[in-house]
Amino acid sequence: MELVIRNLSKTYANGVKALQDVSLEIPTGMYGLLGPNGAGKSTLMRILATLQEADSGSAMLGGIDVLRQKHEVRKMLGYLPQDFGVYPKISAQDMLDHLALLKGIVNGRERKSVVDSLLERTNLSDHRKKALTGFSGGMRQRFGIAQALIGNPKLIIVDEPTAGLDPGERNRFYNLLAEIGENVIVILSTHIVEDVKELCTNMAVIHLGRVLLSGSPEKALVSLEGHIWRKSIVKAQVEDYEKQYKVISTKLIAGRPTIHVYSEQDPGDGFQAVAVDLEDVFFSAIRGFTNQQEHAA
Ligand code: ADP
C-alpha cells in the first residue's frame, strides 16, 4: 500500500500558510518527515490523522480518500500525537483495555490478549499495573506506541516522538519503531536528523509549509557528495564567512566554530572536503543551497 499526497494546502485563519502545495508518495516502511519547528509537520500529521481539514489537495491511502472517508481511515490508523496530553492515574493495562474497547474490540478475552501482547511488544509488561502518571518520558512514548498499535493499523503516524527522551530511551524507542515499520506505513515527523538517519528508508524535508526534497536518504547524500566543505575558524570570523560562502551550518567542536559550506568546487582557503552527512542534507535544503530537481522523488 502507498499513501499518495497531492497538492495539499492549508492556511490558518491568522493567515499562516502551514502547508503549500505539498505532494509526497509514501510507501510501506519508515518514512521520515524532517523539518524545523513551525515547518508544518503537525498540521500535515493532523490532516492525515483526520483531525483537521485541508483547504485543497488530496491524500489517497490505497483506494481510500483520506480527506473524505474519515471513518475508513480511522479504522486503519494508529496515531501518536506530539502531545499525548493527559496521563491519568489509571494503570497502563487498564488504559489500553479501555482504548481497545473504544476501538471496537468488544470481546473481553480477545481484548486481554491484545493488551497483553502490546504490553509485551513495547516492553511495558513489568509496569502494567503502574499508573501512567508515574511513567518516565520513555515509558510514556512506548505506551503511546502501544495505544497506536491497537487494532493492527496499516498507517501509523508518530509526531515528534523522540523529543525530550534521553539517549538511552531514544535508542529503545528506535528499536521499537524499527520493529513495527516493516509491513505498514509509519510516518515519523521530527526535527531531529538522527531520528531519520537511524530509522527511515525514505524521507522528505519540509520547511515553511513546502517540501524541499524527498526520496531516499542515500540519494540525497549522493547528490551533495563533493559539494560540502569544512573549516575550523574563530568566533570573530563567523560573520565574514557567512557573507563570503554558502554556510550551511556552524557547530562548536571543542569550543571552536566549525563551519560547513556548500560549494560545487573546492573553495581553497584551507577548507577540507567533508563526507556528507544527513545533517548537511537537511541544512543545505533549509538554506536553499541544493538543486531541488536532483532530489525530486
Ligand atoms: P511543526 O509541527 O512543523 O512545528 P506546525 O504544523 O505545528 O509545524 O505549524 C506550522 C505553522 O502553522 C507555524 O507557523 C504555526 O505557528 C502555525 N500554526 C499551527 N497551528 C495553528 C493554529 N491552530 N492557528 C494558527 N496558526 C497555527
Side-chain angles (χ1 to χ4, degrees), residues 44-240:
L44 179 58
M45 301 295 94
R46 284 196 303 263
I47 290 172
L48 296 175
T50 74
L51 299 171
Q52 200 173 332
E53 303 284 336
D55 296 335
S56 55
S58 68
M60 296 295 293
L61 177 63
I64 298 173
D65 183 337
V66 176
L67 305 186
R68 292 194 179 81
Q69 294 172 275
K70 292 185 181 169
H71 189 66
E72 279 73 14
V73 178
R74 284 175 195 156
K75 281 197 271 186
M76 304 171 74
L77 174 77
Y79 179 50
L80 173 56
Q82 189 167 0
D83 189 4
F84 200 53
V86 212
Y87 291 92
K89 274 197 183 138
I90 76 170
S91 72
Q93 178 174 274
D94 288 350
M95 186 69 183
L96 279 180
D97 183 79
H98 176 67
L99 292 170
L101 186 61
L102 289 181
K103 264 223 163 164
I105 308 176
V106 287
N107 180 299
R109 220 194 250 164
E110 186 190 344
R111 215 163 53 240
K112 183 172 183 324
S113 134
V114 167
V115 168
D116 283 351
S117 116
L118 288 172
L119 288 167
E120 190 69 36
R121 273 179 89 179
T122 52
N123 209 8
L124 288 172
S125 293
D126 291 348
H127 308 287
R128 60 171 64 222
K129 296 267 161 57
K130 195 170 173 170
L132 291 168
T133 33
F135 270 23
S136 70
M139 284 158 69
R140 284 180 181 199
Q141 289 307 71
R142 280 184 280 136
F143 176 80
I145 288 293
Q147 64 78 29
L149 288 175
I150 296 170
N152 290 322
K154 296 283 172 277
L155 171 64
I156 297 172
I157 294 176
V158 288
D159 197 356
E160 298 270 1
T162 65
L165 299 189
D166 68 37
E169 288 175 328
R170 184 169 294 175
N171 262 331
R172 276 193 290 278
F173 193 73
Y174 283 163
N175 288 331
L176 175 60
L177 281 180
E179 274 170 36
I180 57 176
E182 283 181 0
N183 300 312
V184 295
I185 300 174
V186 182
I187 307 178
L188 168 81
S189 111
T190 184
H191 65 274
I192 300 167
V193 177
E194 199 194 334
D195 289 352
V196 175
K197 192 158 89 185
E198 298 276 330
L199 289 169
C200 300
T201 39
N202 285 288
M203 64 175 274
V205 174
I206 171 172
H207 184 41
L208 299 175
R210 288 188 188 280
V211 175
L212 300 181
L213 65 89
S214 63
S216 74
E218 291 81 25
K219 231 172 92 184
L221 290 170
V222 168
S223 75
L224 273 189
E225 218 146 272
H227 296 351
I228 306 295
W229 309 82
R230 180 186 68 201
K231 188 175 178 183
S232 173
I233 58 175
V234 295
K235 261 186 202 133
Q237 296 175 303
V238 171
E239 235 174 81
D240 281 348

Side-chain angles (χ1 to χ4, degrees), residues 12-14 16 18 35-44 46 82 159-160:
Y12 284 110
N14 60 1
V16 173
N37 288 328
K41 303 182 298 294
S42 291
T43 302
L44 179 58
R46 284 196 303 263
Q82 189 167 0
D159 197 356
E160 298 270 1

